[in-house]
Amino acid sequence: MSQKQLKEAFVSNLNGTSLLEISAGLSLPPLCLLCRGLLLILYYLHHGKPVSSRKYSLLLDFLVLVSPLLFSCTVLSPIIFFIPVILAAFCAGIFSKIYSRRKRESRASFGQIVGEFQKACLDPECIPAIIVFRVYVNVLTSISILAVDFPQYPRRYAKAETYGTGVMDLGVGAFIFGNALVCPEVRQHSHRTQPRFSSLARQVFSVWPLISLGVGRLLSVKSIEYHEHTSEYGVHWNFFFTLALVRLAASLLLAIFPKHKAWLVALALAVLYQLLLSTTSLKMFILHGSDGRDSRLGFLDANREGLFSLFGYLAVYLASVQVGLWLQQRRSSVRGWLGALRGLALAMLVLWVLLQLCQACTEPVSRRLANLPFCIWVLAHCLLLLGFFVLTDLALVFTKLLVQGSSVPCCWKVVQPPDSRKKHQMEAVPVGRQDKLSQLCLISAINKNQLLFFLLANVMTGAVNILIDTIHSKAAFTLCILHLYMFLNCLIMYILHARNIVLKFW
């Protein structure tokens, strides 16, 4: 077999992993974020000032926010269930040290502190959990698209061939979910006077970079005979095309139907598509082609996976718009967001039950088909990750209030003290200092140029695969390459952010 055929076989005919293992993996990014925040607060507690060096800030962010994820999906994957426990214990130790210092300086009881925390007012204009969710989906995707070509990346994490739940299968759906959370329909929800088709017009203009990238990827892959897994999207299709068309179709539907009924449109679309898969020959056509022997004759036959999976991805997008609208409801207090966490937990419980019922009555999860179980699975896990990030943000707010004047980049701002008359007052974070710190944050840097970050990751992935025999690489070499690859990408984003450069003109 040629090198191209070897690499294609290396990522083919896989079956995914368990839902429990994926859930355990999803707890790692929030724990890394919590660890970074607690370390910054502890540093402030001991030195009376935040980390001011950009060099050390980038190094800390990379080592705490990115590096553990690289290890967890490669050499540490056999102990993936123990890593969250270790990180949680480390975070608990840091918090214990912070709290003991606070206790020595104040006579306020723990109950008083919790009561004041619940009354704290948060900045209603920004929801950090959404930003962090989108950034981490991008980071995890960037890690996986290169790591999957190395033997240290478990095969069960790669995309499943037909049925199964791989980590990379979830990544595709999470990308759709994250885009919907900040789509024009969500961001313009408060502007009732907007023309009905304004969002559609904006999306028509904004998707052209995705279509251009899709065409560029298609031409480059075919011209250099780069290895590709045809059954993912087809011969000519790729994820850039999927994302562009899903955004356009969703804007059209949301211009016709009320935005607050987006979940009903999503449900109707997903159920109807599943009925077609279960009662007609559509499923056999998608899986085996028009002649039953995996033919790829004609545009529809050649790209059947990419074209028909649009219905499932569109359902995920519309349901995610509903989530975005719900999150944008004005909640200015900690108590309000604790209630939102309960809402997220209830939604996840309902989705988990529906997932089990759907898999029992129809078929297993299939990213290739983007069937109803896949849609439910993606939404359930995305809500789980989003809920983890909200919980992490609230934990950091509580800790910041313990240490007056401390602040954490990409975390909620406390815009008003809970009770300025109390002796044990907890001070709000100074806005100027918070804004200054945001310039030293890797998450903010990636968030400003997310599409560029993803594009650079794709280009670097192609370069590494062309230059290196990834399949036969040793563990130490693999870790060095992955760390260098991610660090270079993060460094470029960090430099652009430091110079306030946003490469977006559409």
Side-chain angles (χ1 to χ4, degrees):
M1 296 176 69
S2 66
Q3 187 74 3
K4 178 176 181 289
Q5 290 172 323
L6 281 172
K7 290 191 174 184
E8 287 174 353
F10 195 56
V11 294
S12 302
N13 302 312
L14 305 173
N15 299 314
T17 185
S18 67
L19 299 181
L20 184 61
E21 185 170 15
I22 294 176
S23 299
L26 288 181
S27 68
L28 295 180
L31 285 170
C32 291
L33 187 69
L34 179 62
C35 182
R36 191 278 298 255
L38 292 174
L39 286 173
L40 290 175
I41 294 172
L42 185 63
Y43 180 91
Y44 182 89
L45 187 65
H46 283 289
H47 297 86
K49 62 179 181 178
V51 177
S52 56
S53 169
R54 292 188 174 184
K55 177 175 63 176
Y56 291 129
S57 176
L58 173 61
L59 189 61
L60 173 67
D61 279 1
F62 184 81
L63 291 178
V64 180
L65 299 179
V66 179
S67 190
L69 304 180
L70 281 168
F71 280 101
S72 66
C73 68
T74 51
V75 293
L76 295 184
S77 58
I79 58 167
I80 188 66
F81 290 102
F82 296 100
I83 300 176
V85 178
I86 296 170
L87 282 175
F90 184 67
C91 290
I94 301 174
F95 178 80
S96 176
K97 193 167 185 178
I98 294 171
Y99 180 71
S100 62
R101 175 76 172 265
R102 158 75 184 186
K103 196 173 181 181
R104 287 197 301 269
E105 296 176 356
S106 172
R107 296 181 180 179
S109 67
F110 186 78
Q112 286 177 309
I113 296 172
V114 171
E116 294 177 354
F117 163 68
Q118 291 180 346
K119 298 174 187 176
C121 295
L122 306 176
D123 181 6
E125 301 303 322
C126 177
I127 304 174
I130 294 178
I131 296 173
V132 176
F133 177 93
R134 284 167 43 79
V135 168
Y136 256 116
V137 167
N138 218 328
V139 169
L140 290 168
T141 302
S142 299
I143 292 173
S144 294
I145 59 175
L146 178 58
V148 70
D149 295 315
F150 289 89
Q152 288 74 26
Y153 189 86
R155 295 301 89 195
R156 65 185 185 276
Y157 288 180
K159 289 179 180 176
E161 185 68 26
T162 302
Y163 295 105
T165 51
V167 173
M168 294 185 71
D169 294 313
L170 177 62
V172 176
F175 224 100
I176 296 287
F177 184 94
N179 269 266
L181 290 180
V182 295
C183 69
E185 291 79 10
V186 172
R187 287 185 276 114
Q188 294 177 357
H189 182 58
S190 58
H191 303 292
R192 304 292 182 181
T193 59
Q194 288 287 333
R196 195 169 191 181
F197 288 89
S198 63
S199 295
L200 177 60
R202 180 174 295 187
Q203 288 285 30
V204 169
F205 180 69
S206 65
V207 300
W208 74 262
L210 293 173
I211 296 174
S212 301
L213 290 173
V215 172
R217 176 180 171 80
L218 171 64
L219 294 177
S220 60
V221 166
K222 299 301 180 184
S223 62
I224 64 175
E225 295 188 348
Y226 190 76
H227 67 278
E228 53 183 331
H229 193 190
T230 305
S231 65
E232 282 188 33
Y233 299 104
V235 178
H236 312 102
W237 204 262
N238 58 57
F239 184 65
F240 291 113
F241 293 140
T242 293
L243 187 56
L245 288 187
V246 164
R247 286 172 59 172
L248 284 176
S251 290
L252 177 60
L253 289 173
L254 292 172
I256 299 171
F257 298 99
K259 295 176 186 177
H260 63 279
K261 299 292 184 183
W263 71 276
L264 284 176
V265 182
L267 180 62
L269 184 63
V271 170
L272 179 60
Y273 178 53
Q274 183 61 53
L275 286 174
L276 290 173
L277 289 174
S278 301
T279 60
T280 68
S281 59
L282 179 60
K283 185 196 302 184
M284 294 301 295
F285 171 70
I286 296 174
L287 296 180
H288 304 294
S290 56
D291 61 357
R293 295 193 296 270
D294 200 28
S295 65
R296 296 283 174 178
L297 302 175
F299 182 79
L300 181 62
D301 212 351
N303 303 286
R304 54 186 186 267
E305 293 91 351
L307 291 170
F308 284 99
S309 63
L310 285 172
F311 294 103
Y313 290 126
L314 180 55
V316 171
Y317 190 97
L318 290 170
S320 307
V321 167
Q322 189 74 64
V323 175
L325 292 172
W326 179 76
L327 287 172
Q328 292 294 339
Q329 293 177 10
R330 200 168 185 85
R331 301 178 183 88
S332 59
S333 68
V334 168
R335 186 175 282 111
W337 279 103
L338 289 173
L341 267 180
R342 289 192 292 269
L344 286 173
L346 179 60
M348 281 186 287
L349 179 62
V350 171
L351 287 171
W352 283 117
V353 173
L354 286 176
L355 177 60
Q356 301 306 318
L357 290 175
C358 283
Q359 290 197 108
C361 298
T362 56
E363 58 186 344
V365 172
S366 173
R367 173 204 45 82
R368 188 174 175 185
L369 298 171
N371 55 6
L372 179 60
F374 172 79
C375 297
I376 296 173
W377 171 59
V378 166
L379 289 171
H381 267 96
C382 287
L383 289 180
L384 177 65
L385 181 57
L386 192 61
F388 279 156
F389 282 132
V390 172
L391 184 61
T392 299
D393 278 336
L394 292 175
L396 288 176
V397 168
F398 181 80
T399 313
K400 283 196 303 177
L401 292 173
L402 289 176
V403 182
Q404 298 179 8
S406 64
S407 57
V408 178
C410 284
C411 179
W412 259 310
K413 299 177 186 177
V414 181
V415 295
Q416 178 184 332
D419 191 343
S420 58
R421 295 170 300 174
K422 293 201 173 185
K423 183 178 179 179
H424 311 294
Q425 172 183 339
M426 300 184 216
E427 294 181 356
V429 176
V431 174
R433 184 176 294 171
Q434 178 73 22
D435 290 341
K436 182 180 178 181
L437 278 173
S438 68
Q439 298 176 3
L440 308 175
C441 179
L442 181 59
I443 293 172
S444 298
I446 296 173
N447 182 57
K448 271 196 172 181
N449 287 288
Q450 289 211 44
L451 185 57
L452 178 64
F453 182 84
F454 186 58
L455 178 60
L456 279 175
N458 276 269
V459 172
M460 289 185 192
T461 296
V464 170
N465 272 279
I466 292 171
L467 298 173
I468 295 173
D469 178 13
T470 57
I471 297 178
H472 301 101
S473 297
K474 302 297 183 182
F477 181 73
T478 297
L479 289 173
C480 288
I481 291 295
L482 289 176
H483 275 84
L484 180 62
Y485 152 79
M486 285 302 298
F487 185 76
L488 284 176
N489 206 347
C490 291
L491 179 61
I492 292 171
M493 297 301 106
Y494 200 79
I495 292 173
L496 291 175
H497 182 48
R499 299 185 177 184
N500 201 27
I501 298 174
V502 180
L503 297 180
K504 182 176 181 179
F505 46 87
W506 55 88

